[in-house]
Amino acid sequence: QSALTQPASVSGSPGQSITISCTGTSSDVGGYKYVSWYQQHPGKAPKLMIYDVSNRPSGVSNRFSGSKSGNTASLTISGLQAEDEADYYCSSYTSISTYVFGTGTKVTVL
Amino acid sequence: QVQLVQSGAEVKKPGASVKVSCKASGYTFTDYYIHWVRQAPGQGLEWMGRITPNNGGTNYAQNFQGRVTMTRDTSISTAYMELRRLTSDDTAVYYCARDNYADYWFDPWGQGTLVTVSS
């Protein structure tokens, strides 16, 4: 199972919006609504930000939103803040009852 | 509050085995899967597999089949991941994470356990 494809890095100025893509296949991202997104700060464990493509857990800012079209899922961060600087990973359930993560995206706040 | 607390860092020699524990608290241990995910230094996340605590059933990623064993002890709400025939490529932080039986996401995660494989 190959890793889902994410851009290595995305940057934006405070207040701007950025979007991170996550491209898979019809056997994972495209076949299920089970895409989730995780934020990871250096030296810390990942934190769930979005589940089931577009749902936010309680306590996660509404500046984070998710969507999906075909084999590509996306995470949008609006009103970018300094604290959003971190690595972001997508994850998808797969047709062989396993999970696959994305390659990861480093978000830089300029 | 829901918490997963993992065992401490390990240093192993090539060819050896390592067993990492993940103690759950704040919820009913047998109501949620426990997944294991690893992250090599400077690299991304890699899903290793999961265990179903209520019956011990497992599902492993193909990359680890034959080399990993996931077990649990329900009496102490603890899950274990044992990885055998270690090489330097297994040097990584190993995380456990919870997942409801009806859901498909990981929350929360343990704090991570660094396993270093070095001669």
Side-chain angles (χ1 to χ4, degrees):
Chain A
Q1 190 78 39
S2 298
L4 308 175
T5 301
Q6 298 180 230
S9 62
V10 173
S11 61
S13 299
Q16 286 187 328
S17 292
I18 62 168
T19 296
I20 303 167
S21 61
C22 168
T23 300
T25 69
S26 57
S27 296
D28 38 65
V29 174
Y32 303 92
K33 64 164 188 164
Y34 305 132
V35 175
S36 51
W37 289 89
Y38 302 87
Q39 176 192 65
Q40 186 180 35
H41 287 108
K44 299 295 188 182
K47 174 188 174 186
L48 177 68
M49 304 302 283
I50 294 287
Y51 66 92
D52 289 353
V53 174
S54 60
N55 294 294
R56 256 187 331 272
S58 116
V60 171
S61 170
N62 59 9
R63 298 184 297 104
F64 291 84
S65 61
S67 62
K68 190 186 83 161
S69 177
N71 295 337
T72 298
S74 299
L75 173 72
T76 297
I77 310 174
S78 57
L80 200 60
Q81 299 181 0
E83 68 208 48
D84 300 331
E85 188 161 291
D87 293 327
Y88 291 82
Y89 294 91
C90 59
S91 173
S92 176
Y93 182 69
T94 81
S95 60
I96 54 172
S97 301
T98 62
Y99 289 81
V100 61
F101 284 96
T103 49
T105 298
K106 181 176 180 59
V107 168
T108 301
V109 180
L110 302 171
Chain B
Q1 74 283 20
V2 175
Q3 206 172 2
L4 299 175
V5 177
Q6 299 182 222
S7 48
E10 303 260 15
V11 179
K12 296 292 183 181
K13 293 196 181 303
S17 300
V18 69
K19 191 170 186 177
V20 179
S21 68
C22 171
K23 182 169 178 58
S25 61
Y27 72 96
T28 302
F29 179 64
T30 49
D31 284 352
Y32 293 77
Y33 294 121
I34 292 288
H35 296 257
W36 291 90
V37 176
R38 77 175 185 180
Q39 185 172 36
Q43 302 301 309
L45 302 172
E46 182 178 22
W47 185 80
M48 299 179 68
R50 73 178 180 195
I51 184 166
T52 306
N54 71 357
N55 63 12
T58 54
N59 186 7
Y60 301 139
Q62 193 168 8
N63 285 351
F64 298 97
Q65 292 272 4
R67 209 161 65 90
V68 71
T69 301
M70 296 177 188
T71 57
R72 92 290 188 220
D73 184 340
T74 57
S75 69
I76 55 172
S77 300
T78 300
Y80 302 92
M81 186 283 300
E82 181 180 33
L83 191 61
R84 299 178 292 278
R85 301 191 300 276
L86 295 169
T87 72
S88 58
D89 289 342
D90 295 314
T91 294
V93 176
Y94 290 77
Y95 293 101
C96 61
R98 187 188 77 158
D99 165 29
N100 189 294
Y101 289 153
D103 298 327
Y104 298 85
W105 62 85
F106 314 120
D107 181 56
W109 295 55
Q111 84 276 19
T113 296
L114 175 61
V115 175
T116 303
V117 183
S118 172
S119 54

